[in-house]
Amino acid sequence: MGKWSRRAFITTGVLVGGTLVIGVAIRPGNRSHKVAKLVGGDGDTVLNVWLKIGPDNVVTAIIPHAEMGQGVHTTLAMMLADEMDADWSKVRMMEAPAHKEYANYALAKGYEFGDVDFPAFLMGTIDGILLTATKAMNLQITGGSTSVATTGIVGMRVAGAAAKAILLEAAAETWQVPVDELRAENSHIIHAASDRSAPFSDLAVAASEIDAPAKPVLKSESEFKIMGTSPQKFDIPAKVDGSAQFGIDTVLPGMKYAAVKASPVFGAVIESIDESSIEGMAGVQKIINLGDAAVVIADGYWQAQQALDRLAIEFTTSGNEGVEQSAIFKQFAKAMDDANADKNNSTDFKTGNTDVAMAESSHFVEAEYKVPYLAHATMEPMNCTAWVHDDQCELWMGTQNPLGFAAEVAAALDMEMENVIVHNQYLGGGFGRRAFPDYAIQAGRIAAQVTYPVKLIWSREEDMRHDHYRQANISRFKASLDSSGQPTAWVNQFVDKHDPIEAPYIPYGIENQLIHFADSETHVPWGFWRSVDHSLHAFFTESFTDELAHAAGKDAYEFRRDLLVDNTRFRDVLDLAAKKSDWYETLPENRGRGIAIHKSFGTIVAQVIEVEVSEGNVRVHRVTCAVDCGFAMHPDGLRAQMESGIVYGLTAALYSDISIHRGAVAQSNFHDYEMLRMNESPSIETFIINGGGRTGGAGEPGTPAIAPALANAIFDATGQRIRELPIKHHDFNRGNPGAKDVV
């Protein structure tokens, strides 16, 4: 696992109400007393990278991340408990509240500095700087597949190791024995020589008076007892028996329901509302004009939505009413052409000299790819219950950034941030959508105009038509091949660059590369979508890599493998996927295999799809996935996330298409924005490599490679290249020309 102490932070303890709290000492000053007020006594919900020990010897991990099915509440607690040598059966977790003292500086530290080995005397200063920055940013985000790789490594493991260190020292002082004669085991400190043992709770008071080490010793991989195993996740029992509380499950005394409708065309606002159009409708309590949206409050949601559907609303024009999807793609193409003509492209990555390499070659391959806008389409639509009372605003919802949402709602209501209380619930799907606070702001503004709690629920149509969308895009490629079929130059141009920065980069040993882009803004709101730019660039790059293999007359797997000669971790993952998929086995007629590999969020994933194309229909039978995230903290959880990402990516590749018609989203519900159904889901096998190095993420890396693997499999089965998604728009009863192969 490497020298994890380089990610250490200073920890200290304080005793409050019989509970030992392990926190962080930040120069200047010690924040422990502030943390203790939030986590100690009366079961206060807390959030961050620390822990507490109760008088019943229960260790509680305080988790600064939301649970949206990725299992982070369990995995982070495992990392803390293992370093502490706690009895897993007596470990619990608490999700923290939206409070500035729990801005997640550990996430920022892991993300920004990674493997930097700071001296112990600098730890407090570095942490203090990052805490100040994350407080200012209201950073408490769950996303980017960062929870384990940053909070887990930088925070949870170090907090557990620091807690164990001061408990051992407390026992040594209490029993007057050398500390190196002691060990921690199953939430006890043991002195074998004198046959003495004490639970952590008995030593908590003494331990709270000891300064924790700045760089506690962390376990090596061979010493792990909990990390690397797959205990049942904390959230599973409640989700199985139905007691789990999602935002939409919130019910408060006297609560009313609200439905909302914004202008179909982004950017327009309300011109007028004719309230007489719903006069006398049962249950209607109030009509509110939010400026950019109309709201109906009623006794029940159905009553509110029915009234809203009948409400006569006039919207202003925004100037975008004539925009069509075809025009957006033409705009993109023109931006790329103009950037090339004016030599005004933004260079993303460059190595070698592609012009010289191209000039020396006589064999070129060119291709252009397109992808549509995509919605998140979470199973739980956007919702938030808000109650403004006693100069406070309480919010019940599922959010990926509780602290950030509190700040946004406070600003909207002209209220002090500390007066906004967020009760975060389980998220019924996030995928990046619940990092945007629009629905919470609406709920707060609505509740501020009434005296009772209001549950705002977006209809599926509102959810689909007012999302923050994964961008549509065009990507163009040109590559040159030498006489042996090896690529000598790789040139790629696309539109608009978002995050992460490395998404368009390739792992292959091609000496001359130029990756560049043109800017082309549209009126369609952009948002983080599962794996962000990786979701589209993996389709682009791995589809074109397949086209190069075909042009070179080589096997798609072997072609990639040869280009990864200096990249052994990639080769190992690719080899495992090919082996486990029976790559060289002959397939029945109308079937094909496709392979793709991509690294995102520190994790390498290779996938092989086996597909059948018959009578114009595409059926995915089998997916083989190989993954290396450095070390699988919870192997079953990693497999589950790969499966989740695969299904999510297959849905997008096969069916998903948000298109713009007359300036608005044309799709409205699952009848025209289809989902992969259970009876269509393939057999999925996931194989894990613990390749070492820096730990990567799991929530998003399963998605990027699946679309190109599918497109490549369809080509293998039919000879028809897929250069535009989704698959449903293609006619497989007729042929399709291959890449433009220029000799």
Side-chain angles (χ1 to χ4, degrees), residues 635-647:
D636 283 355
L638 177 59
R639 292 187 185 95
Q641 285 303 288
M642 291 300 107
E643 292 171 3
S644 171
I646 286 166
V647 170

Side-chain angles (χ1 to χ4, degrees), residues 313-364:
I313 311 169
E314 294 292 334
F315 294 98
T316 64
T317 57
S318 66
N320 296 312
E321 285 73 17
V323 177
E324 299 291 328
Q325 186 64 49
S326 58
I328 291 175
F329 279 124
K330 288 179 181 178
Q331 174 188 318
F332 290 165
K334 184 177 186 302
M336 297 169 81
D337 292 340
D338 290 349
N340 287 333
D342 299 338
K343 296 183 179 179
N344 194 31
N345 273 297
S346 296
T347 299
D348 192 12
F349 177 81
K350 184 176 182 180
T351 184
N353 192 318
T354 55
D355 289 339
V356 171
M358 291 282 187
E360 294 176 347
S361 177
S362 60
H363 190 181
F364 309 98

Side-chain angles (χ1 to χ4, degrees), residues 506-509 560-575 597 599 604 628:
I506 57 174
Y508 303 115
R560 287 172 170 81
R561 194 177 194 280
D562 290 343
L563 291 175
L564 294 171
V565 64
D566 296 322
N567 205 330
T568 56
R569 283 189 67 187
F570 268 86
R571 287 187 70 167
D572 289 346
V573 176
L574 187 74
D575 287 346
I597 188 168
K599 182 179 182 180
I604 305 166
D628 179 1

Side-chain angles (χ1 to χ4, degrees), residues 382-420:
M382 297 303 103
N383 68 89
C384 178
T385 300
W387 185 20
V388 176
H389 64 96
D390 302 317
D391 297 323
Q392 292 184 329
C393 178
E394 292 190 75
L395 302 170
W396 290 261
M397 61 190 163
T399 166
Q400 293 177 240
N401 189 10
L403 186 58
F405 274 40
E408 293 280 1
V409 173
L413 300 184
D414 194 21
M415 181 181 288
E416 294 296 326
M417 184 176 165
E418 54 265 30
N419 291 335
V420 177

Side-chain angles (χ1 to χ4, degrees), residues 593-672:
R593 287 193 191 92
I595 193 168
I597 188 168
H598 191 78
K599 182 179 182 180
S600 61
F601 306 97
T603 295
I604 305 166
V605 176
Q607 291 163 346
V608 176
I609 277 186
E610 184 178 317
V611 70
E612 179 182 5
V613 184
S614 179
E615 298 180 352
N617 298 314
V618 175
R619 177 64 187 257
V620 180
H621 286 281
R622 181 186 179 194
V623 176
T624 305
C625 175
V627 54
D628 179 1
C629 65
F631 182 83
M633 294 293 173
H634 191 297
D636 283 355
L638 177 59
R639 292 187 185 95
Q641 285 303 288
M642 291 300 107
E643 292 171 3
S644 171
I646 286 166
V647 170
Y648 199 73
L650 277 178
T651 292
L654 288 166
Y655 301 124
S656 300
D657 181 8
I658 290 293
S659 57
I660 304 302
H661 176 55
R662 295 180 180 176
V665 170
Q667 290 70 29
S668 62
N669 211 313
F670 290 133
H671 70 287
D672 55 6

Side-chain angles (χ1 to χ4, degrees), residues 163-173 179 182-184 189-190 203:
K164 180 171 71 174
I166 59 176
L167 286 165
L168 287 166
E169 190 170 341
E173 292 180 2
V179 70
L182 301 171
R183 74 176 190 274
I189 302 298
I190 298 169
L203 299 163

Side-chain angles (χ1 to χ4, degrees), residues 79-91:
M79 297 170 77
L80 181 144
D82 202 343
E83 289 292 351
M84 198 176 179
D85 281 311
D87 178 352
W88 180 249
S89 69
K90 294 181 71 65
V91 174

